[in-house]
């Protein structure tokens, strides 16, 4: 019998994934990572729901205390980024560093099982011509989570199954109900567990970063208002600035060292290009020449056409692997340092990385 370890957060998606695989004849072992104390999935109540699902399915359930690695890799990473005036994207880093990597290692080394599965909405295919695993968008475009998975390695893709990639969220809930899962009607979780646990990103950050009043200024340095902490703002933000102006103003730069939030009109908030660091080439090998692709600069943004140009990095063994320049066919609003830029060829995720901070526009 095929054995597989299923990551269980306590939500309907991971529960349905486990039930589907169990129904297909897999010998399922449930695995829950204890990431932090508090409410929400991946926390105390999520572990209880995950244990109940395993009990209902009649499968073993393991809990791994991952609080230390979550604190170092995600919480500290977020606090450091927001303190420096960037807006980190924790989910992609969490998937690789906290979840998929440790889960597959635990499955192989502690349980002798070679495969893991999760309730993510994405698909994996193998391209025999290139010898690479490909990461594809889910069938359900409204739930596709491939954007958050761009940093997975070939080894992780080879050892992972996504049972929900070929079905819609509506079908997932129907399947969960058919199997009598207690999570079938469980409300949707937040995209970010720290927000779910703390009530808001602002509340989470205020636990770690002391509010510090400063100036909101325009590009010339003219004071337009006051803020209570640079970490409360993000590039491209328009609402909540508390400034009366004849035209909409956007955050165009965060000067953490000077404790200033710099704002400007829409023309100053759009850019035609950006550089991306810490690139992971997923479904294709790293190119050495420019390629055309559709690029997403936020999870909920529509992909837009752009040219992806590898940047040579002196002193690196593979000099074209880690950085690229993105040149968009049309200028884009709110290109946010710290967020992920991910590029596709149709449904195939080619690669992605972290948007670097650009200099303030002249």
């Amino acid at each position: 019998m095929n054995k597989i370890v299923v990551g269980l957060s306590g939500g309907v998606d991971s529960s349905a994934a486990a039930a589907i695989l169990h129904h297909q004849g897999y010998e399922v072992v449930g695995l829950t990572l204890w990431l932090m104390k508090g409410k929400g999935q991946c926390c105390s109540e999520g572990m209880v729901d995950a244990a109940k699902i395993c009990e209902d399915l009649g499968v073993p359930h393991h809990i791994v205390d991952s609080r230390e690695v979550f604190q170092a890799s995600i919480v500290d990473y977020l606090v450091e980024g927001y303190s420096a005036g960037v807006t980190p994207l924790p989910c992609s880093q969490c998937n690789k560093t906290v979840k998929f990597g440790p889960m597959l290692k635990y499955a192989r080394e502690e349980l002798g099982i070679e495969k893991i599965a999760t309730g993510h909405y994405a698909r994996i295919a193998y391209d025999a011509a290139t010898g690479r695993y490909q990461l594809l968008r889910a069938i359900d475009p409204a739930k596709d989570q491939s954007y958050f998975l761009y940093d997975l390695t070939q080894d992780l893709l080879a050892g992972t199954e996504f049972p929900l990639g070929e079905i819609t969220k509506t079908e997932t809930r129907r399947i969960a109900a058919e199997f009598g899962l207690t999570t079938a009607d469980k409300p949707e979780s937040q995209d970010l567990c720290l927000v779910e646990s703390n009530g808001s990103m602002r509340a989470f950050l205020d636990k770690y970063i002391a509010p510090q009043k400063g100036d909101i200024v325009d590009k010339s340095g003219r004071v337009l208002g006051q803020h209570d902490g640079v970490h409360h703002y993000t590039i491209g933000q328009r609402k909540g600035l508390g400034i009366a102006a004849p035209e909409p103003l956007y955050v165009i730069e965060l000067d953490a060292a000077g404790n200033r939030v710099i704002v400007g009109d829409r023309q100053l908030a759009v850019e035609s290009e950006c550089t991306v660091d810490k690139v992971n080439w997923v479904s294709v090998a790293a190119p050495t020449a420019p390629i055309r692709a559709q690029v997403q600069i936020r999870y909920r943004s529509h992909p837009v056409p752009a040219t992806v140009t590898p940047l040579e990095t002196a002193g690196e063994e593979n000099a074209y692997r880690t950085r690229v320049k993105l040149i968009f066919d049309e200028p884009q609003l709110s290109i946010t340092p710290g967020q992920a830029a991910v590029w596709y060829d149709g449904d195939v995720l080619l690669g992605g990385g972290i948007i670097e901070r650009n200099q303030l526009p002249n």
Side-chain angles (χ1 to χ4, degrees):
M1 185 181 294
N2 292 326
K3 295 183 178 181
I4 194 164
V5 171
V6 181
L8 293 172
S9 66
V12 63
D13 293 331
S14 59
S15 302
I20 289 170
L21 292 169
H22 187 256
H23 181 70
Q24 289 174 350
Y26 281 88
E27 186 177 326
V28 170
V29 176
L31 175 61
T32 300
L33 304 179
W34 186 11
L35 302 182
M36 58 185 174
K37 291 182 179 179
K39 63 182 181 179
Q41 294 184 25
C42 303
C43 305
S44 304
E45 73 177 38
M47 287 190 289
V48 172
D49 289 340
K52 181 64 167 63
I53 291 298
C54 288
E55 181 181 351
D56 291 345
L57 294 176
V59 303
H61 183 222
H62 295 251
I63 295 176
V64 175
D65 189 345
S66 302
R67 289 175 296 170
E68 187 174 326
V69 67
F70 184 80
Q71 176 72 35
S73 299
I74 304 305
V75 175
D76 294 349
Y77 167 73
L78 274 173
V79 172
E80 180 180 347
Y82 275 97
S83 297
V86 301
T87 307
L89 180 72
C91 295
S92 58
Q93 174 149 325
C94 186
N95 281 329
K96 178 184 176 182
T97 307
V98 179
K99 293 181 178 177
F100 284 78
M103 282 173 56
L104 190 56
K105 182 178 180 181
Y106 184 88
R108 289 173 172 173
E109 296 182 0
E110 301 296 329
L111 304 176
I113 300 174
E114 290 299 315
K115 283 271 191 176
I116 63 171
T118 72
H120 286 87
Y121 288 86
R123 295 177 291 156
I124 299 171
Y126 180 72
D127 185 351
T130 62
R132 294 181 72 89
Y133 286 88
Q134 296 181 327
L135 180 61
L136 285 72
R137 290 190 185 276
I139 291 296
D140 187 347
K143 293 302 298 178
D144 172 56
Q145 293 173 300
S146 60
Y147 173 87
F148 292 121
L149 302 171
Y150 80 86
D151 213 19
L152 297 186
T153 64
Q154 285 290 299
D155 180 59
L156 291 176
L157 291 174
T160 299
E161 299 282 347
F162 293 135
L164 307 186
E166 301 282 350
I167 64 176
T168 66
K169 179 73 176 197
T170 301
E171 290 174 298
T172 296
R173 288 203 180 273
R174 177 182 57 78
I175 290 170
E178 287 180 356
F179 284 118
L181 303 181
T182 56
T183 55
D185 296 320
K186 191 171 182 178
E188 195 83 348
S189 64
Q190 297 273 359
D191 286 332
L192 185 58
C193 60
L194 289 169
V195 171
E196 186 172 46
S197 182
N198 290 273
S200 68
M201 177 57 75
R202 184 186 185 100
F204 162 72
L205 291 173
D206 283 346
K207 290 170 57 177
Y208 296 91
I209 305 173
Q212 184 178 3
K213 291 189 178 299
D215 293 330
I216 300 176
V217 303
D218 64 14
K219 184 184 165 187
S220 66
R222 181 167 60 101
V223 177
L224 304 177
Q226 300 291 309
H227 68 79
D228 59 355
V230 170
H231 60 282
H232 291 150
Y233 298 81
T234 185
I235 299 296
Q237 179 177 335
R238 181 171 67 88
K239 297 181 179 180
L241 300 181
I243 300 173
E247 57 185 344
L249 295 177
Y250 299 79
V251 175
I252 60 172
E253 179 70 10
L254 296 173
D255 177 12
N259 194 31
R260 301 185 307 162
V261 175
I262 303 168
V263 298
D265 60 21
R266 184 181 176 87
Q267 184 177 354
L268 290 174
V270 299
E271 296 175 279
S272 298
E273 61 183 56
C274 66
T275 54
V276 179
D277 195 13
K278 300 178 181 176
V279 169
N280 181 45
W281 290 97
V282 184
S283 302
V284 295
T288 57
I291 63 171
R292 294 286 293 169
Q294 297 86 48
V295 179
Q296 272 183 247
I297 56 172
R298 289 178 299 280
Y299 173 46
R300 295 298 184 186
S301 68
H302 293 292
V304 294
T307 299
V308 183
T309 302
L311 298 176
E312 188 170 3
T313 305
E316 291 195 5
E317 183 176 344
N318 189 331
Y320 292 96
R321 179 171 293 277
T322 60
R323 293 181 77 240
V324 303
K325 175 183 282 189
L326 301 179
I327 303 176
F328 299 95
D329 290 9
E330 299 289 340
Q332 297 298 303
L333 178 68
S334 306
I335 300 178
T336 307
Q339 293 288 290
V342 180
W343 42 96
Y344 296 81
D345 179 7
D347 283 346
V348 180
L349 194 156
L350 303 177
I354 300 298
I355 298 170
E356 292 185 311
R357 184 200 298 271
N358 290 339
Q359 293 183 346
L360 185 65
N362 294 320

